[in-house]
Amino acid sequence: METGEPISQDFFTPEGSILKVNGADIQVFEYSSAEEMENEASQVSPDGGSIGTSMLMWVDAPHFYKSGRILVLYVGSNPTVLDLLETTLGQQFAGR
């Protein structure tokens, strides 16, 4: 795993970081509190197709995970990466 570039998403308040995991980009957003993270996570539709009022078109299947003050977004379908995220963070709370 290696740390990549910072990333900003209009629909999440904090600036995130891209982590490279098995060659895949994982977007990690750290909030100042678990409550703030949960508030923004609650805006994500169950299939990940919209966040708040933003309708999103993903290049691959989106997968959203959360733990503590961390929200993680992985757009892809690599089974090894998905298994690692699920083992580390638990079941995705939204996505396809």
Side-chain angles (χ1 to χ4, degrees):
M1 179 171 65
E2 60 184 80
T3 305
E5 299 295 312
I7 186 164
S8 294
Q9 294 286 10
D10 292 341
F11 39 81
F12 295 139
T13 304
E15 181 174 77
S17 298
I18 294 179
L19 300 181
K20 294 258 187 213
V21 179
N22 289 4
D25 288 348
I26 309 297
Q27 300 177 36
V28 180
F29 300 89
E30 183 175 1
Y31 290 81
S32 57
S33 70
E35 292 78 15
E36 184 183 353
M37 183 278 295
E38 289 288 350
N39 184 50
E40 291 205 346
S42 73
Q43 301 296 309
V44 181
S45 68
D47 70 354
S50 66
I51 299 174
T53 58
S54 301
M55 298 300 292
L56 304 165
M57 298 298 295
W58 302 105
V59 295
D60 202 335
H63 304 276
F64 293 85
Y65 300 85
K66 59 185 179 177
S67 179
R69 298 182 299 125
I70 305 291
L71 192 148
V72 174
L73 168 59
Y74 167 54
V75 180
S77 51
N78 181 315
T80 304
V81 173
L82 291 168
D83 286 345
L84 180 62
L85 289 168
E86 188 170 312
T87 300
T88 306
L89 301 167
Q91 289 279 357
Q92 69 181 16
F93 72 90
R96 294 186 216 136

